[in-house]
């Protein structure tokens, strides 16, 4: 029971992390100090896409699922399991990544303009 809870919490935190990656730059328009947290999240996002490094949240969820006697996440990871093919078709992965990048860059441009 506890391991399943750990897996579920890791999944929820992962979704929150990805949501913050997409729109967290806009929060910095209101709360300026949050830009540093968002820069760290954005850097991690780029690092994971470019290098394929596995996210600790994916590892935590997979571990919790396996310890609870459930099937682990597929080798392709969290995004392939929960997002690609579920929220958008797999063939639009690069378009979705581009959309998030544009959203982040737009939020940063707005941050800079609002700061002046």
């Amino acid at each position: 029971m506890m391991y399943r809870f750990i897996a579920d919490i890791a999944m929820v935190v992962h979704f929150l992390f990805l949501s913050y990656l997409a729109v967290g730059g806009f929060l910095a328009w209101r709360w300026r100090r949050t830009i540093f947290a968002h820069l760290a999240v954005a850097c991690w996002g780029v690092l994971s896409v470019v290098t394929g490094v596995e996210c600790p949240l994916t590892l935590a969820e997979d571990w919790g699922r396996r310890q609870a006697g459930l099937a682990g996440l597929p080798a392709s990871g969290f995004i392939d399991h929960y997002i690609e093919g579920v929220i958008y078709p797999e063939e639009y992965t690069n378009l979705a990544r581009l959309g998030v990048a544009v959203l982040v860059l737009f939020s940063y441009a707005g941050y800079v303009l609002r700061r002046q």
Side-chain angles (χ1 to χ4, degrees):
M1 175 88 175
M2 185 60 147
Y3 293 118
R4 175 65 189 261
F5 181 71
I6 290 169
D8 289 345
I9 290 297
M11 176 193 57
V12 169
V13 170
H14 215 155
F15 273 113
L16 291 172
F17 184 88
L18 291 174
S19 298
Y20 185 69
L21 171 64
V23 298
F26 294 105
L27 295 176
W29 291 14
R30 172 70 172 98
W31 298 285
R32 293 178 190 246
R33 290 184 184 163
T34 63
I35 195 68
F36 300 111
H38 193 266
L39 282 168
V41 168
C43 286
W44 177 260
V46 170
L47 179 71
S48 67
V49 167
V50 171
T51 66
V53 65
E54 196 161 12
C55 180
L57 291 169
T58 300
L59 296 173
E61 181 186 356
D62 188 57
W63 177 82
R65 290 170 61 101
R66 290 181 191 280
Q67 294 299 314
L70 303 170
L73 289 173
S76 53
F78 177 87
I79 291 179
D80 288 344
H81 183 69
Y82 290 110
I83 298 177
E84 288 180 357
V86 177
I87 296 177
Y88 58 83
E90 289 181 35
E91 58 266 16
Y92 293 116
T93 298
N94 289 331
L95 185 61
R97 288 176 179 169
L98 178 63
V100 170
V102 167
L103 197 60
V104 169
L105 292 174
F106 180 77
S107 72
Y108 286 175
Y111 173 81
V112 169
L113 290 174
R114 289 178 59 92
R115 192 160 178 209
Q116 294 176 352

